[in-house]
Amino acid sequence: MTGSVLQPETGTAAQDDRIVLSTRDLTKHYRVGGGMFAGPPRVVRAIDGVTLDIRARETFALVGESGCGKTTLGRVMLRLQEPTSGTIRYRGTDLTGLGEGPMRALRKNLQIVFQDPFASLNPRMRIGEILAEPLRSHGYGTPAEIRDRCTELLEMVGLRRQYLRNYPHQLSGGQRQRIGIARALANKPDFVVCDESVSALDVSIQAQVLNLLSDLQDQLKLTYFFITHDLAVVRQFADRVGVMFLGRLVEVGTTEELFARPLHPYTMLLMSAVPRPDPRKRGEDRPMMRGEIPSPMNLPKGCRFHTRCPFARDICRVEDPGLQTLGGRAVACHFPLED
Ligand code: SF4
């Protein structure tokens, strides 16, 4: 577990070798619709100017409501989807400028564990083949070396070698997710995006898989970019948290700070929506999030949270607050919350 800072200014990350991956003003826009009878195409701003540094061996959690751009950001960071603009640097190398060959070579260092282990594993392949595939495609070694590595990977995720002969449907959900993790780790990456990787699992299995991820992080010196909507998991597992709303980061801080004293109204409201174990506190007077999430095709002017914010004032409707550093944290709000 390591502490870390976000640097809204550009140009400093490349010199810092403790930073594994950084983005500068990263955007991903999609054009939708258009045509003879549909009028001009419209633009969906799925990611809209994300600047972020992820440091070696930390777990950085990205939270936000469904549709806020979390998954898109994870995929664009790995260039599984191409960004519209901005830069992504991995250990100082600009991924956005890399051709197919060099990107393919680097890809083994940058991996992803998906949410649904069943959908992400080929049902017609035995587990051994599923694990051998990424090794072969990166020229790992002889067939015997690949077999040994597959066995080693299974042991690493707490499964016996007998499973190499099984098909995914013969495994439980937790075991399948362990295979998803083993496959991601096959080529010894150091940066892993976990995209809602424990969300589909029962709570008890979820805890086991989180413990496994934590042990593997220590053992293999991994850095995690952990995408989730589950704040209880974030609190237990993450070193730092980024809160995303409509394609932008609105707050970044350490897990401890963020849970103890959220600065952005959206962070505070997300946290207050988590059910409380003490029923006496359920009726407490708390400000509420208003209305629905605006469409990413028709973003509000000014602060894009203002249509839902109980603290909005006139300036919020016209001026975008931008992400500012405040006491070592980063927040995009004209009126950050106080104690
Ligand atoms: Fe609310 Fe204004 Fe802050 Fe936006 S800038 S979060 S509308 S107080």
Side-chain angles (χ1 to χ4, degrees), residues 23-27 50 83-88 94 96-97:
T23 68
R24 291 290 176 267
D25 214 7
L26 195 64
T27 70
V50 170
T84 303
S85 64
T87 57
I88 309 157
D94 183 359
T96 31

Side-chain angles (χ1 to χ4, degrees), residues 132-154:
E133 196 180 42
L135 293 167
R136 276 196 211 105
S137 72
H138 283 283
Y140 182 82
T142 64
E145 285 167 338
I146 289 177
R147 256 197 315 278
D148 288 349
R149 177 67 179 155
C150 291
T151 307
E152 186 183 34
L153 284 165
L154 271 194

Side-chain angles (χ1 to χ4, degrees), residues 136-336:
R136 276 196 211 105
S137 72
H138 283 283
Y140 182 82
T142 64
E145 285 167 338
I146 289 177
R147 256 197 315 278
D148 288 349
R149 177 67 179 155
C150 291
T151 307
E152 186 183 34
L153 284 165
L154 271 194
E155 284 167 1
M156 211 187 266
V157 296
L159 294 175
R160 294 192 310 273
R161 62 179 303 163
Q162 284 83 338
Y163 285 105
L164 289 173
R165 292 194 295 271
N166 286 107
Y167 288 96
H169 74 268
Q170 296 172 303
L171 274 56
S172 69
Q175 288 170 331
R176 284 196 291 264
Q177 194 54 301
R178 285 172 190 262
I179 298 298
I181 294 166
R183 181 180 57 183
L185 299 181
N187 283 304
K188 305 181 182 173
D190 65 352
F191 182 82
V192 180
V193 171
C194 299
D195 185 5
E196 299 278 10
S197 303
V198 295
S199 307
L201 304 174
D202 290 346
V203 175
S204 62
I205 307 294
Q206 201 177 72
Q208 291 170 16
V209 173
L210 284 173
N211 284 339
L212 171 68
L213 286 170
S214 179
D215 290 346
L216 290 169
Q217 182 172 40
D218 290 344
Q219 234 173 292
L220 307 172
K221 302 180 172 49
L222 299 171
T223 303
Y224 290 137
F225 188 72
F226 199 83
I227 298 167
T228 181
H229 64 278
D230 188 336
L231 291 174
V233 168
V234 171
R235 193 167 201 167
Q236 180 194 342
F237 193 61
D239 297 297
R240 281 197 308 150
V241 187
V243 182
M244 203 163 183
F245 183 75
L246 277 180
R248 283 217 182 139
L249 287 171
V250 295
E251 182 163 3
V252 181
T254 65
T255 307
E256 210 182 331
E257 288 169 338
L258 220 97
F259 277 86
R261 197 169 68 89
L263 295 177
H264 196 282
Y266 180 59
T267 313
M268 187 269 283
L269 292 165
L270 267 188
M271 286 177 176
S272 67
V274 175
R276 290 170 185 245
D278 183 349
R280 288 166 303 179
K281 293 187 177 169
R282 277 184 197 149
E284 250 177 29
D285 266 353
R286 294 193 295 251
M288 302 287 288
M289 197 115 66
R290 304 182 308 202
E292 298 296 317
I293 304 179
S295 164
M297 283 191 285
N298 190 17
L299 293 168
K301 285 204 174 66
C303 169
R304 56 186 67 184
F305 186 58
H306 84 251
T307 58
R308 305 185 79 194
C309 181
F311 310 111
R313 303 187 208 172
D314 288 348
I315 188 175
C316 305
R317 294 176 188 95
V318 288
E319 204 171 295
D320 184 345
L323 199 60
Q324 306 294 329
T325 305
L326 188 71
R329 294 161 71 179
V331 60
C333 177
H334 293 302
F335 308 103

